[in-house]
Amino acid sequence: MLRPALALVLILASGLALASPPKAFTATYRVLRDGAPMGEASVSLKPLGDGQWEYRKHLRGTSGLAAMLGADVEEVSRFRWKGDVPEAIRYDYRLDAAIKAKQRHLVVDWNTRQVTVDEGKGAITYPARPGMVERNTTALAIGLALQDGRKQIDLPVAVKQEVEAQQFKVGGKERVAVPAGSFDAVRVDRTDADRGFSAWYAPGRYPLPVKLSQKDGGDLTMELVSFR
């Protein structure tokens, strides 16, 4: 009977008490490519019942070439909380544009601990890992790790053919100005890959970044407009 209480005392004493998972929210972002306005994005979190949650991101092209091509991207994740980690259950990606269409469907069978990914060209299956997230929920998982006070963040992330061990370094604070305001934000950089990923968080206020920059097919930046 004393062991759970003793464990809790030790966790609190070491400063490693976990942050509570966030409540439902909706955030909006301004999206820029190579510094020029491209579109707008909405990000939302809501409970589905039976211990499952939905995390949805919808990006719509409103300016420049993205608007001309009618670019529309939607990513929908279903997960369950494992502590404060959004452990993946399902992920769907859809890109629609005048010259290109793409989709990805990922599902995790936790009974067999298998991940199945299908992009319409034949399914790929590989072993799942406990506490695994996927590309859409990675930014949320990082934000919750920051609220826990973590300085180095290691995440198992389900991608197309495997679970990647992605690593993120927590740096110092930087002053960041976005449409939602100015923040003394904590900078986080991915350190295990050549692809540039940098995000700025205000962990005392939001579980999502106030600014995110990713070099993947161009310099794409998301800046927070509102959070409710």
Side-chain angles (χ1 to χ4, degrees), residues 33 69-73 93-103 119 121 216-217:
R33 182 177 289 278
L69 297 176
D72 190 279
V73 178
Y93 170 90
R94 176 188 57 80
L95 163 65
D96 289 322
I99 60 173
K100 185 178 182 181
K102 184 178 179 180
Q103 63 179 8
E119 293 185 343
K121 300 177 182 179
D216 189 1

Side-chain angles (χ1 to χ4, degrees), residues 48-188:
L48 297 175
D50 296 328
Q52 296 190 13
W53 288 68
E54 179 186 274
Y55 182 78
R56 180 184 296 264
K57 180 165 60 183
H58 182 207
L59 189 154
R60 183 171 62 91
T62 59
S63 301
L65 184 60
M68 291 176 59
L69 297 176
D72 190 279
V73 178
E74 187 166 53
E75 297 178 85
V76 183
S77 303
R78 181 174 293 193
F79 67 87
R80 62 188 182 186
W81 292 113
K82 186 171 181 135
D84 61 353
V85 174
E87 187 177 63
I89 295 175
R90 177 173 175 157
Y91 166 67
D92 288 287
Y93 170 90
R94 176 188 57 80
L95 163 65
D96 289 322
I99 60 173
K100 185 178 182 181
K102 184 178 179 180
Q103 63 179 8
R104 176 181 293 180
H105 174 66
L106 180 152
V107 63
V108 186
D109 185 337
W110 284 108
N111 292 322
T112 61
R113 292 201 171 187
Q114 292 291 308
V115 181
T116 301
V117 181
D118 193 347
E119 293 185 343
K121 300 177 182 179
I124 298 170
T125 302
Y126 55 83
R129 286 180 53 187
M132 179 186 71
V133 300
E134 33 74 18
R135 56 182 284 175
N136 191 36
T137 51
T138 299
L140 175 63
I142 292 171
L144 295 175
L146 289 173
Q147 291 182 354
D148 289 341
R150 303 255 294 276
K151 299 300 182 183
Q152 174 69 36
I153 301 169
D154 300 318
L155 290 175
V157 182
V159 294
K160 182 178 179 180
Q161 296 179 318
E162 62 182 349
V163 179
E164 285 186 347
Q166 297 187 6
Q167 299 174 351
F168 302 87
K169 180 181 178 181
V170 181
K173 288 187 176 181
E174 297 181 6
R175 192 68 176 174
V176 174
V178 296
S182 295
F183 301 90
D184 289 321
V186 177
R187 177 169 177 159
V188 179

Side-chain angles (χ1 to χ4, degrees), residues 24-41:
F25 62 71
T26 299
T28 58
Y29 286 85
R30 177 174 66 181
V31 184
L32 304 98
R33 182 177 289 278
D34 299 322
M38 169 191 164
E40 57 188 24

Side-chain angles (χ1 to χ4, degrees), residues 180-199:
S182 295
F183 301 90
D184 289 321
V186 177
R187 177 169 177 159
V188 179
D189 295 286
R190 185 174 172 184
T191 58
D192 66 292
D194 292 334
R195 291 177 300 178
F197 173 97
S198 299

